[in-house]
PDB file of all heavy atoms in Angstrom:
ATOM      1  N   PRO A  17      -2.396  13.782 -19.330  1.00 48.00           N
ATOM      2  CA  PRO A  17      -2.836  14.471 -20.548  1.00 48.00           C
ATOM      3  C   PRO A  17      -3.654  13.572 -21.461  1.00 48.00           C
ATOM      4  O   PRO A  17      -4.611  14.001 -22.071  1.00 48.00           O
ATOM      5  CB  PRO A  17      -1.519  14.893 -21.211  1.00 48.00           C
ATOM      6  CG  PRO A  17      -0.502  14.863 -20.134  1.00 48.00           C
ATOM      7  CD  PRO A  17      -0.936  13.801 -19.186  1.00 48.00           C
ATOM      8  N   VAL A  18      -3.250  12.290 -21.576  1.00 47.00           N
ATOM      9  CA  VAL A  18      -3.968  11.379 -22.464  1.00 47.00           C
ATOM     10  C   VAL A  18      -5.404  11.223 -21.977  1.00 47.00           C
ATOM     11  O   VAL A  18      -6.349  11.281 -22.744  1.00 47.00           O
ATOM     12  CB  VAL A  18      -3.257   9.999 -22.501  1.00 47.00           C
ATOM     13  CG1 VAL A  18      -4.133   8.983 -23.228  1.00 47.00           C
ATOM     14  CG2 VAL A  18      -1.915  10.136 -23.186  1.00 47.00           C
ATOM     15  N   LYS A  19      -5.549  11.039 -20.647  1.00 48.00           N
ATOM     16  CA  LYS A  19      -6.877  10.892 -20.084  1.00 48.00           C
ATOM     17  C   LYS A  19      -7.720  12.132 -20.347  1.00 48.00           C
ATOM     18  O   LYS A  19      -8.876  12.052 -20.727  1.00 48.00           O
ATOM     19  CB  LYS A  19      -6.765  10.633 -18.575  1.00 48.00           C
ATOM     20  CG  LYS A  19      -8.095  10.364 -17.909  1.00 48.00           C
ATOM     21  CD  LYS A  19      -7.903  10.070 -16.446  1.00 48.00           C
ATOM     22  CE  LYS A  19      -9.252   9.831 -15.781  1.00 48.00           C
ATOM     23  NZ  LYS A  19      -9.117   9.594 -14.329  1.00 48.00           N
ATOM     24  N   SER A  20      -7.087  13.325 -20.162  1.00 48.00           N
ATOM     25  CA  SER A  20      -7.811  14.571 -20.380  1.00 48.00           C
ATOM     26  C   SER A  20      -8.255  14.707 -21.830  1.00 48.00           C
ATOM     27  O   SER A  20      -9.340  15.179 -22.115  1.00 48.00           O
ATOM     28  CB  SER A  20      -6.924  15.767 -20.000  1.00 48.00           C
ATOM     29  OG  SER A  20      -6.560  15.681 -18.641  1.00 48.00           O
ATOM     30  N   ALA A  21      -7.406  14.288 -22.752  1.00 49.00           N
ATOM     31  CA  ALA A  21      -7.719  14.425 -24.171  1.00 49.00           C
ATOM     32  C   ALA A  21      -8.921  13.582 -24.555  1.00 49.00           C
ATOM     33  O   ALA A  21      -9.697  13.955 -25.423  1.00 49.00           O
ATOM     34  CB  ALA A  21      -6.501  14.026 -25.007  1.00 49.00           C
ATOM     35  N   HIS A  22      -9.066  12.418 -23.915  1.00 54.00           N
ATOM     36  CA  HIS A  22     -10.142  11.511 -24.306  1.00 54.00           C
ATOM     37  C   HIS A  22     -11.416  11.721 -23.511  1.00 54.00           C
ATOM     38  O   HIS A  22     -12.465  11.260 -23.912  1.00 54.00           O
ATOM     39  CB  HIS A  22      -9.676  10.058 -24.147  1.00 54.00           C
ATOM     40  CG  HIS A  22      -8.699   9.643 -25.207  1.00 54.00           C
ATOM     41  ND1 HIS A  22      -9.084   9.379 -26.495  1.00 54.00           N
ATOM     42  CD2 HIS A  22      -7.357   9.464 -25.165  1.00 54.00           C
ATOM     43  CE1 HIS A  22      -8.012   9.047 -27.213  1.00 54.00           C
ATOM     44  NE2 HIS A  22      -6.957   9.096 -26.420  1.00 54.00           N
ATOM     45  N   THR A  23     -11.330  12.411 -22.385  1.00 67.00           N
ATOM     46  CA  THR A  23     -12.493  12.560 -21.526  1.00 67.00           C
ATOM     47  C   THR A  23     -13.692  13.219 -22.207  1.00 67.00           C
ATOM     48  O   THR A  23     -14.807  12.707 -22.101  1.00 67.00           O
ATOM     49  CB  THR A  23     -12.109  13.321 -20.242  1.00 67.00           C
ATOM     50  OG1 THR A  23     -11.162  12.541 -19.520  1.00 67.00           O
ATOM     51  CG2 THR A  23     -13.318  13.566 -19.360  1.00 67.00           C
ATOM     52  N   PRO A  24     -13.510  14.359 -22.924  1.00 78.00           N
ATOM     53  CA  PRO A  24     -14.679  14.979 -23.567  1.00 78.00           C
ATOM     54  C   PRO A  24     -15.394  14.042 -24.529  1.00 78.00           C
ATOM     55  O   PRO A  24     -16.627  13.973 -24.546  1.00 78.00           O
ATOM     56  CB  PRO A  24     -14.076  16.178 -24.309  1.00 78.00           C
ATOM     57  CG  PRO A  24     -12.826  16.487 -23.566  1.00 78.00           C
ATOM     58  CD  PRO A  24     -12.305  15.161 -23.113  1.00 78.00           C
ATOM     59  N   LYS A  25     -14.625  13.265 -25.324  1.00 78.00           N
ATOM     60  CA  LYS A  25     -15.236  12.340 -26.265  1.00 78.00           C
ATOM     61  C   LYS A  25     -15.990  11.239 -25.528  1.00 78.00           C
ATOM     62  O   LYS A  25     -17.104  10.852 -25.901  1.00 78.00           O
ATOM     63  CB  LYS A  25     -14.156  11.730 -27.167  1.00 78.00           C
ATOM     64  CG  LYS A  25     -14.713  10.807 -28.246  1.00 78.00           C
ATOM     65  CD  LYS A  25     -13.612  10.310 -29.152  1.00 78.00           C
ATOM     66  CE  LYS A  25     -14.194   9.393 -30.231  1.00 78.00           C
ATOM     67  NZ  LYS A  25     -13.153   8.883 -31.138  1.00 78.00           N
ATOM     68  N   GLN A  26     -15.372  10.721 -24.465  1.00 83.00           N
ATOM     69  CA  GLN A  26     -16.023   9.679 -23.671  1.00 83.00           C
ATOM     70  C   GLN A  26     -17.285  10.217 -23.010  1.00 83.00           C
ATOM     71  O   GLN A  26     -18.300   9.528 -22.936  1.00 83.00           O
ATOM     72  CB  GLN A  26     -15.048   9.139 -22.619  1.00 83.00           C
ATOM     73  CG  GLN A  26     -13.892   8.343 -23.213  1.00 83.00           C
ATOM     74  CD  GLN A  26     -12.808   8.035 -22.201  1.00 83.00           C
ATOM     75  OE1 GLN A  26     -12.780   8.610 -21.116  1.00 83.00           O
ATOM     76  NE2 GLN A  26     -11.900   7.154 -22.569  1.00 83.00           N
ATOM     77  N   ASP A  27     -17.211  11.443 -22.527  1.00 82.00           N
ATOM     78  CA  ASP A  27     -18.381  12.064 -21.897  1.00 82.00           C
ATOM     79  C   ASP A  27     -19.521  12.214 -22.895  1.00 82.00           C
ATOM     80  O   ASP A  27     -20.680  11.958 -22.574  1.00 82.00           O
ATOM     81  CB  ASP A  27     -18.021  13.436 -21.311  1.00 82.00           C
ATOM     82  CG  ASP A  27     -17.186  13.324 -20.041  1.00 82.00           C
ATOM     83  OD1 ASP A  27     -17.112  12.199 -19.491  1.00 82.00           O
ATOM     84  OD2 ASP A  27     -16.607  14.333 -19.613  1.00 82.00           O
ATOM     85  N   ARG A  28     -19.183  12.637 -24.120  1.00 86.00           N
ATOM     86  CA  ARG A  28     -20.213  12.791 -25.146  1.00 86.00           C
ATOM     87  C   ARG A  28     -20.840  11.445 -25.484  1.00 86.00           C
ATOM     88  O   ARG A  28     -22.044  11.328 -25.684  1.00 86.00           O
ATOM     89  CB  ARG A  28     -19.606  13.433 -26.411  1.00 86.00           C
ATOM     90  CG  ARG A  28     -19.325  14.919 -26.282  1.00 86.00           C
ATOM     91  CD  ARG A  28     -19.105  15.550 -27.648  1.00 86.00           C
ATOM     92  NE  ARG A  28     -17.992  14.953 -28.359  1.00 86.00           N
ATOM     93  CZ  ARG A  28     -16.718  15.363 -28.219  1.00 86.00           C
ATOM     94  NH1 ARG A  28     -16.429  16.344 -27.390  1.00 86.00           N
ATOM     95  NH2 ARG A  28     -15.752  14.783 -28.921  1.00 86.00           N
ATOM     96  N   SER A  29     -19.985  10.415 -25.550  1.00 88.00           N
ATOM     97  CA  SER A  29     -20.482   9.079 -25.855  1.00 88.00           C
ATOM     98  C   SER A  29     -21.430   8.587 -24.768  1.00 88.00           C
ATOM     99  O   SER A  29     -22.498   8.032 -25.048  1.00 88.00           O
ATOM    100  CB  SER A  29     -19.303   8.111 -26.012  1.00 88.00           C
ATOM    101  OG  SER A  29     -19.762   6.805 -26.290  1.00 88.00           O
ATOM    102  N   ARG A  30     -21.039   8.793 -23.510  1.00 90.00           N
ATOM    103  CA  ARG A  30     -21.899   8.390 -22.394  1.00 90.00           C
ATOM    104  C   ARG A  30     -23.201   9.163 -22.397  1.00 90.00           C
ATOM    105  O   ARG A  30     -24.274   8.609 -22.132  1.00 90.00           O
ATOM    106  CB  ARG A  30     -21.166   8.582 -21.057  1.00 90.00           C
ATOM    107  CG  ARG A  30     -20.167   7.481 -20.735  1.00 90.00           C
ATOM    108  CD  ARG A  30     -19.737   7.551 -19.277  1.00 90.00           C
ATOM    109  NE  ARG A  30     -18.970   8.757 -19.008  1.00 90.00           N
ATOM    110  CZ  ARG A  30     -17.654   8.827 -19.075  1.00 90.00           C
ATOM    111  NH1 ARG A  30     -16.941   7.756 -19.420  1.00 90.00           N
ATOM    112  NH2 ARG A  30     -17.021   9.951 -18.808  1.00 90.00           N
ATOM    113  N   ALA A  31     -23.120  10.461 -22.713  1.00 93.00           N
ATOM    114  CA  ALA A  31     -24.322  11.290 -22.733  1.00 93.00           C
ATOM    115  C   ALA A  31     -25.270  10.846 -23.845  1.00 93.00           C
ATOM    116  O   ALA A  31     -26.496  10.812 -23.656  1.00 93.00           O
ATOM    117  CB  ALA A  31     -23.943  12.758 -22.919  1.00 93.00           C
TER     118      ALA A  31
END
Side-chain angles (χ1 to χ4, degrees):
V18 170
K19 184 178 179 182
S20 300
H22 287 285
T23 297
K25 184 176 180 180
Q26 291 169 347
D27 287 347
R28 285 196 301 273
S29 179
R30 281 194 293 268

